[in-house]
Amino acid sequence: MQEASFSGLIKAICYIVAFYYIFKFLARIFLPVLVKKAVEKAGENFQRQQQYSQDASWQKTQRNTDEVIINTANAKNPRETKKVGDYVDYEEID
């Protein structure tokens, strides 16, 4: 069975502090590069999706150029306004 010693505690604290500063230093170097790559990849994905969407809508309009649809159901009947109720004029009483 091992016992904890004061020198072992100091060593552990030194390792933790050293690891923290090394990690902090490496993060300052590599984190901007990683973020830049992630943003570029997201931009490429967005461009690809936009291009696919535009291609799909262009193909859809190309297919439907021969077809003309006229809805005559609403053309015969003029639009009716909703009748909500009667107009009531209020008068102030002193």
Side-chain angles (χ1 to χ4, degrees):
M1 185 151 122
Q2 294 181 356
E3 293 183 14
S5 65
F6 184 70
S7 63
L9 177 66
I10 298 297
K11 265 189 192 177
I13 292 173
C14 288
Y15 286 139
I16 291 170
V17 170
F19 177 76
Y20 171 75
Y21 281 110
I22 290 170
F23 181 77
K24 191 174 170 182
F25 176 74
L26 292 176
R28 281 190 182 171
I29 292 173
F30 293 114
L31 196 61
V33 174
L34 293 175
V35 170
K36 184 178 177 183
K37 293 246 184 213
V39 168
E40 287 175 357
K41 187 164 180 110
E44 289 173 4
N45 287 340
F46 178 74
Q47 290 290 339
R48 193 176 318 121
Q49 287 177 353
Q50 284 293 106
Q51 187 66 33
Y52 175 74
S53 174
Q54 287 175 354
D55 289 345
S57 66
W58 177 254
Q59 288 175 357
K60 192 181 269 188
T61 57
Q62 288 296 330
R63 280 188 239 144
N64 293 336
T65 55
D66 296 336
E67 187 177 327
V68 176
I69 298 172
I70 299 173
N71 189 359
T72 58
N74 290 337
K76 293 179 183 174
N77 299 331
R79 289 189 173 196
E80 296 180 16
T81 58
K82 286 187 177 181
K83 295 182 181 178
V84 178
D86 296 329
Y87 177 73
V88 179
D89 190 17
Y90 290 100
E91 208 174 293
E92 286 187 30
I93 301 175
D94 290 328

